[in-house]
């Protein structure tokens, strides 16, 4: 009798369920981070600290747009995140903010980080406990940043990757943005030539906002020619939606992953960078 085993995630440790969070949020060495835009003071997962979604990108720091090493170290240390801390992140939108913290922590050498599958949406749907208490950072926590350039791409990197064999450029934005109909205060609309659209929300269950199965995720990417040997550069407008694509790809075993953190905010406002404008079919 032939038994077909379901494909499992290559990195299941980076996606935790709400029941795990409920059981372990207060454990020593665990730090839960709330990345929602609003509502933290009114109620959050007990023990969670808050970090603004916009705090980890410096719009005035090209070509990488990353915070400085010292600034990021201070930010993480202030949250009680040290070198040995397991960071668990959630938001209210299926990972659009949380995944960017996952990505930037990996960039700064801290891979011990996971997303809460379904995040705040699933936590509240299950009527789990909430808290309005503001936890303080435990004494002695010290974060050491160890930047790893393999996680980030600049505009020059993207330009060099256009139509390059072995490199796939992934566009995580909406069809309207890609077609230039939704400019979002960017001067020029369109997309990076040779880029492949993989809208970030297509990676989630539409009702539960949890990540799709490994089989479903692999089918999404492989059906578009994005296979495991590929060197992937993902982009969106400011690096958030792209981070969800990168997270999903890493979840199923891809390891050559870069975030073009300048994103369309830079690309669409520069006249020296090429833009394609034909209609995209998903």
């Amino acid at each position: 009798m032939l038994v077909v085993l379901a494909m499992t995630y290559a990195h299941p440790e980076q996606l935790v369920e709400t029941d795990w969070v409920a059981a372990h949020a207060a454990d020593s060495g665990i730090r839960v981070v709330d990345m929602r835009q609003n509502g933290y003071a009114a109620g959050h997962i007990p023990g969670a600290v808050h970090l603004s979604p916009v705090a980890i990108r410096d719009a005035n720091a090209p070509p990488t747009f990353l915070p400085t090493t010292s600034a990021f170290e201070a930010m993480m240390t202030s949250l009680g995140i040290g070198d040995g801390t397991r960071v668990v992140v959630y938001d209210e939108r299926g990972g659009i903010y949380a995944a960017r913290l996952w990505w930037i922590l990996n960039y700064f050498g801290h891979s011990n980080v996971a997303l809460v599958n379904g995040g705040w949406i699933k936590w509240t749907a299950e009527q789990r406990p909430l808290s309005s208490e503001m936890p303080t950072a435990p004494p002695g926590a010290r974060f050491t940043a160890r930047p790893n350039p393999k996680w980030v791409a600049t505009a020059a990197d993207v330009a060099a990757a256009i139509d390059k064999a072995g490199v796939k450029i992934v566009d995580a934005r909406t069809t309207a943005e890609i077609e230039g109909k939704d400019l979002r205060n960017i001067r020029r609309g369109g997309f990076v030539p040779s880029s492949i659209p993989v809208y970030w929300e297509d990676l989630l269950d539409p009702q539960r906002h949890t990540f799709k199965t490994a089989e479903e995720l692999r089918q999404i990417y492989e059906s578009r020619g994005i296979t495991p040997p590929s060197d992937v550069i993902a982009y969106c407008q400011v690096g958030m939606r792209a981070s969800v694509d990168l997270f999903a790809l890493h979840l199923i075993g891809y390891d050559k992953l870069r975030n073009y953190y300048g994103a369309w905010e830079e690309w669409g406002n520069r006249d020296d960078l090429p833009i394609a404008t034909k209609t995209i079919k998903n």
Side-chain angles (χ1 to χ4, degrees):
M1 179 178 178
L2 178 64
V3 178
V4 179
L5 297 177
M7 183 184 299
T8 58
Y9 296 130
H11 292 284
E13 74 284 351
Q14 66 182 29
L15 191 63
V16 297
E17 300 300 328
T18 48
D19 56 353
W20 185 95
V21 178
H24 296 284
D27 290 0
S28 175
I30 301 292
R31 201 53 154 172
V32 180
V33 181
D34 182 313
M35 292 281 296
R36 289 179 296 155
Q37 286 188 308
N38 301 293
Y40 173 78
H44 49 263
I45 292 177
V49 293
H50 184 256
L51 180 63
S52 169
V54 301
I56 54 176
R57 183 177 184 271
D58 188 342
N60 299 309
T64 65
F65 296 87
L66 288 156
T68 65
T69 296
S70 60
F72 192 75
E73 285 180 338
M75 190 185 307
M76 293 301 102
T77 298
S78 72
L79 294 174
I81 297 171
D83 292 342
T85 304
R86 177 157 173 74
V87 181
V88 177
V89 199
Y90 71 92
D91 59 39
E92 79 281 32
R93 293 189 59 195
I96 190 172
Y97 306 126
R100 190 161 71 160
L101 181 59
W102 166 86
W103 167 76
I104 204 168
L105 278 166
N106 274 277
Y107 167 80
F108 279 114
H110 193 94
S111 60
N112 194 4
V113 52
L115 267 60
V116 179
N117 201 15
W120 183 250
I121 295 171
K122 190 168 184 286
W123 184 271
T124 53
E126 294 168 346
Q127 299 183 330
R128 294 187 181 272
L130 306 180
S131 173
S132 59
E133 293 183 8
M134 311 288 187
T136 57
R142 174 63 184 169
F143 186 90
T144 306
R146 300 177 179 88
N148 187 342
K150 79 170 190 175
W151 284 94
V152 68
T154 64
D157 294 326
V158 177
I162 294 171
D163 291 318
K164 184 177 180 180
V167 182
K168 303 297 183 182
I169 305 172
V170 171
D171 189 326
R173 299 175 302 152
T174 66
T175 299
E177 289 171 274
I178 293 170
E179 294 182 350
K181 297 173 182 177
D182 181 5
L183 292 177
R184 302 196 178 195
N185 298 316
I186 307 298
R187 286 198 299 107
R188 300 190 300 162
F191 57 95
V192 175
S194 82
S195 62
I196 303 165
V198 185
Y199 182 53
W200 74 278
E201 283 191 302
D202 290 343
L203 309 173
L204 307 175
D205 179 277
Q207 280 75 47
R208 298 182 300 156
H209 297 272
T210 53
F211 279 87
K212 291 182 175 179
T213 65
E215 291 95 333
E216 291 171 316
L217 293 176
R218 189 169 294 280
Q219 172 62 24
I220 288 170
Y221 291 107
E222 291 190 353
S223 68
R224 302 178 196 194
I226 305 165
T227 54
S230 301
D231 180 353
V232 179
I233 300 174
Y235 75 94
C236 53
Q237 184 172 345
V238 289
M240 291 187 292
R241 292 173 288 178
S243 296
V244 181
D245 265 289
L246 296 175
F247 178 85
L249 283 163
H250 195 255
L251 193 61
I252 58 174
Y254 290 60
D255 59 6
K256 300 176 186 176
L257 304 171
R258 289 181 283 172
N259 192 342
Y260 169 37
Y261 211 25
W264 200 256
E265 185 178 71
E266 177 188 31
W267 196 276
N269 284 319
R270 282 179 52 175
D271 294 326
D272 61 324
L273 296 171
I275 287 180
T277 56
K278 67 181 180 181
T279 300
I280 290 294
K281 293 181 180 180
N282 288 317

